[in-house]
Amino acid sequence: MDCLQPYYFHTHLVGSEGSLLDNKFHSTKLSTNKHAWSNLAMKLLDSGDVSDHPYQTQFEAFFNALDKCKEMPLTSFADAARSHEIIFAADRSAETGRPVKISSL
């Protein structure tokens, strides 16, 4: 889905103890106003200049891999599955307070 609008690079991270929304944050662990967002001193990426973004290189690597019938380096299905296994093991470790072997998942 797309629309005509000014460029806007939206950042939204949500966690169990806080959130980040563009240049604003909220935390239950810091001494901030629990009824309002706190502001970060940072420049927002909304200029529309994407020359520093990696898109060109990513697209070139993707189409080159397609042309050669090869998987993209570091982003294959097996790589993605392994990344998720690590994340699931980390979540289980945080939940139990003990190390978790990926082989036990």
Side-chain angles (χ1 to χ4, degrees):
M1 194 178 268
D2 204 353
C3 63
L4 296 175
Q5 66 184 33
Y7 179 78
Y8 177 61
F9 190 86
H10 185 65
T11 303
H12 194 190
L13 301 173
V14 180
S16 59
E17 297 174 1
S19 296
L20 176 72
L21 178 60
D22 299 327
N23 65 336
K24 301 178 284 196
F25 72 95
H26 178 73
S27 173
T28 60
K29 295 290 184 177
L30 300 175
S31 298
T32 58
N33 181 346
K34 65 181 188 176
H35 301 292
W37 289 98
S38 297
N39 289 309
L40 295 168
M42 61 180 273
K43 180 182 173 237
L44 293 176
L45 300 174
D46 60 0
S47 71
D49 179 8
V50 295
S51 60
D52 63 331
H53 293 197
Y55 304 134
Q56 182 71 33
T57 306
Q58 286 176 334
F59 285 125
E60 286 175 5
F62 175 72
F63 289 115
N64 286 336
L66 280 179
D67 285 343
K68 295 175 183 174
C69 296
K70 294 185 176 180
E71 291 187 339
M72 289 266 300
L74 305 175
T75 58
S76 68
F77 180 78
D79 292 327
R82 182 70 170 168
S83 296
H84 281 81
E85 288 173 338
I86 292 167
I87 292 167
F88 296 146
D91 282 346
R92 174 119 2 118
S93 177
E95 195 176 273
T96 64
R98 294 190 306 262
V100 173
K101 291 185 179 186
I102 293 174
S103 61
S104 70
L105 294 175

